[in-house]
Amino acid sequence: MNFVISLKEAEKRRAHIEDEFKVKEIPFSFFDAINKSNLNQEIAKFGISFDNTKLTDGEKACFLSHVALWSYCLENDLKYIAIYEDDVILSKNAEELLIDFSWIPDDVQLIKLEKFDKSILMAFKRTFINNHCLRELKERHLGAAGYILTLSGAKTLLEYVKKNTQDQPVDEILFNININNNFVKAYQILPAIVIQMDRIDSKILPSQLQDDRSKRVVHTRKIKKHFFSKIKLEVLRVFFKTQKLFCKIGFERADK
């Protein structure tokens, strides 16, 4: 099932989604995004702790909107749930993968549909699906504008966010912290079939969270490293940079 997170009053964004999905005859439903106005009520409802975090109210509301759909997946015993944000563009042949999810391998729990960066470190092993393939993500690849989650994946992620205080946006949980800790293996679909509008043109549908994110101050700590540690890090950096040359993420727009 395909769900698009969107504020009720976001008429322009909803019209955009109607055009994107209906022209490809992809079934979907809007999910009314959690609003800042009832934030405390929703935090209590889902039992998520944001104590002492620097997340803005907008980021918390976005986080909880995704969590609400993970919960919906469990409550309704959905084998798969595909979650999108309301500023996505779908690729030329997205309908091949988004109408029927029977192509998903049994051992895969989380699939990133989105292109955010141009290239990301991934496993060399490929699982081929029609004109696409899956590769396991091996490093941070942010963005939560389009992904598929299985029932077991939703359960695991819900357990994690409820047990731990959350101080990072939802995409950091899905495609950074999760990858580093291997709660559920995250895979990338190649070429990607989703991209956010602001990655192409930031003026058409500007990011609703970018202003919120810019308000947060990120503190970094400089650590003096031993000479040989610096050499090792530089060697690894060059190695991974070379490996990423074979890890490009393509995207083909339907109108091109």
Side-chain angles (χ1 to χ4, degrees):
M1 297 181 70
N2 296 292
F3 290 91
V4 180
I5 298 171
S6 181
L7 291 167
K8 283 184 179 180
E9 62 271 20
E11 295 180 2
K12 184 176 180 180
R13 286 170 173 262
R14 290 198 171 204
H16 162 72
I17 290 298
E18 293 274 0
D19 289 342
E20 283 293 313
F21 281 75
K22 288 195 172 180
V23 73
K24 296 178 179 297
E25 299 183 343
I26 299 172
F28 78 97
S29 298
F30 282 116
F31 177 81
D32 293 336
I34 290 171
N35 200 299
K36 297 179 188 179
S37 62
N38 62 341
L39 186 58
N40 290 333
Q41 179 183 341
E42 296 297 330
I43 288 173
K45 174 183 175 181
F46 291 106
I48 307 294
S49 172
F50 293 109
D51 294 344
N52 302 316
T53 71
K54 295 184 176 66
L55 293 178
T56 65
D57 285 351
E59 288 174 315
K60 292 175 185 176
C62 176
F63 193 116
L64 290 172
S65 295
H66 285 262
V67 167
L69 280 172
W70 303 350
S71 296
Y72 182 89
C73 180
L74 261 65
E75 291 166 2
N76 293 275
D77 198 32
L78 301 180
K79 189 173 182 179
Y80 308 108
I81 187 168
I83 299 173
Y84 313 85
E85 294 179 353
D86 61 2
D87 58 349
V88 296
I89 295 174
L90 301 179
S91 71
K92 187 174 183 179
N93 298 309
E95 66 275 15
E96 294 178 0
L97 300 177
L98 299 182
I99 292 177
D100 179 0
F101 295 143
S102 61
W103 55 269
I104 299 175
D106 291 337
D107 59 345
V108 172
Q109 295 175 292
L110 174 61
I111 300 172
K112 187 175 179 67
L113 305 173
E114 176 187 9
K115 176 181 179 178
F116 192 84
D117 291 316
K118 293 181 179 179
S119 60
I120 285 295
L121 193 64
M122 294 178 278
F124 278 114
K125 181 181 178 182
R126 293 169 170 83
T127 300
F128 290 95
I129 299 147
N130 298 330
N131 298 314
H132 296 76
C133 74
L134 290 175
R135 291 176 68 177
E136 185 181 351
L137 285 166
K138 292 296 184 179
E139 72 170 342
R140 182 176 185 251
H141 187 202
L142 295 186
Y147 62 95
I148 297 173
L149 192 60
T150 66
L151 182 65
S152 60
K155 181 179 179 182
T156 299
L157 289 172
L158 272 173
E159 288 174 351
Y160 170 76
V161 298
K162 288 184 177 183
K163 286 179 180 178
N164 300 275
T165 296
Q166 299 308 314
D167 60 358
Q168 297 292 329
V170 68
D171 57 334
E172 287 276 5
I173 301 299
L174 287 164
F175 300 112
N176 185 23
I177 294 172
N178 172 50
I179 291 170
N180 290 335
N181 294 278
N182 203 28
F183 305 136
V184 296
K185 286 185 178 180
Y187 290 81
Q188 176 73 49
I189 192 77
L190 298 172
I193 58 175
V194 167
I195 194 168
Q196 282 185 296
M197 177 71 80
D198 70 350
R199 308 299 288 179
I200 296 174
D201 188 337
S202 61
K203 296 178 181 178
I204 298 177
L205 291 175
S207 172
Q208 292 177 314
L209 282 180
Q210 190 56 48
D211 288 342
D212 272 4
R213 288 199 172 189
S214 65
K215 293 175 185 176
R216 279 194 290 117
V217 179
V218 179
H219 298 281
T220 58
R221 184 174 53 157
K222 292 183 179 180
I223 302 174
K224 291 185 178 180
K225 296 182 177 65
H226 189 275
F227 175 74
F228 290 107
S229 295
K230 290 182 178 179
I231 295 296
K232 181 180 179 181
L233 286 172
E234 183 61 21
V235 169
L236 288 173
R237 186 189 69 81
V238 172
F239 173 76
F240 288 136
K241 186 176 181 180
T242 302
Q243 188 174 345
K244 282 173 68 171
L245 294 175
F246 302 93
C247 299
K248 293 182 179 180
I249 300 174
F251 179 86
E252 186 177 3
R253 289 182 63 175
D255 56 351
K256 296 295 181 182

